[in-house]
Amino acid sequence: AKRDLQAVIRSSGVTFDVVAFEGLRSPVPKATYESFSAPSMNNAGALAFTATLRDDVPASAVIRWEGGNSLAIASSGGAVPGAPDTTFLEFSAPVISSAGNVLFAARTGGPKPGTGLFLWTPQGLRVVSLPADLHVRPNDLLTPAMASRDEAVFVLRGTPIEATIEQFFRAV
């Protein structure tokens, strides 16, 4: 029986790099890839994507790929920076900047469950402050709606893209 496998493939002209595919060992120890979010790529060819993982724990991870090397920059069950006893639960698709930094949203669990934005740079992972008047519930997840020129717009999961575009252009 023929079966389609999910994969993340990068092309440069007529050459292709298989970044990840279903069943391939991930950079998370003892875990293999199962499925993927939409990848984000910068002009240097670096990629970022969220992967669902097989083999139990962790269930998902945010992956950064560059030059044939994959790095798990955050994984479910992993510690949230600056928040003791708080762990990552679920991730949005990430956005990668021209410098190779990765921005993503995540739901977190622990004594104070929540939702937030996180930025990975070569110096480490940090929390990005949300506007004080933005009220998100612990089960909400922010997802990227648009990204260009090192700027990104994140909206609540389930927000219709038409409403997002309309509000975005009204704000501009």
Side-chain angles (χ1 to χ4, degrees):
K2 184 178 175 184
R3 184 172 176 272
D4 291 331
L5 294 177
Q6 288 206 21
V8 176
I9 298 172
R10 177 185 163 271
S11 70
S12 178
V14 295
T15 62
F16 295 88
D17 291 312
V18 177
V19 174
F21 63 88
E22 184 180 347
L24 180 69
R25 194 68 61 209
S26 79
V28 175
K30 301 179 182 176
T32 58
Y33 291 122
E34 185 170 39
S35 62
F36 310 96
S37 71
S40 175
M41 184 169 77
N42 68 13
N43 287 343
L47 291 164
F49 56 92
T50 295
T52 302
L53 304 173
R54 231 182 261 158
D55 309 320
D56 298 327
V57 179
S60 61
V62 178
I63 308 294
R64 184 182 182 281
W65 180 94
E66 184 172 25
N69 298 310
S70 294
L71 173 68
I73 60 174
S75 58
S76 58
V80 173
D85 302 320
T86 304
T87 59
F88 288 114
L89 297 176
E90 179 185 12
F91 303 105
S92 72
V95 174
I96 192 165
S97 73
S98 59
N101 300 329
V102 180
L103 178 67
F104 62 93
R107 287 182 44 246
T108 60
K112 293 182 180 178
T115 294
L117 284 176
F118 300 86
L119 179 66
W120 177 90
T121 69
Q123 289 74 45
L125 186 60
R126 69 175 179 86
V127 176
V128 176
S129 298
L130 295 175
D133 59 347
L134 177 63
H135 301 287
V136 292
R137 297 171 302 196
N139 285 337
D140 290 336
L141 180 65
L142 299 169
T143 60
M146 297 176 226
S148 177
R149 299 179 190 232
D150 292 341
E151 295 183 333
V153 175
F154 280 74
V155 298
L156 289 176
R157 174 175 41 197
T159 303
I161 191 67
E162 297 81 17
T164 303
I165 292 169
E166 180 182 331
Q167 290 302 313
F168 181 73
F169 284 108
R170 284 182 188 209
V172 172

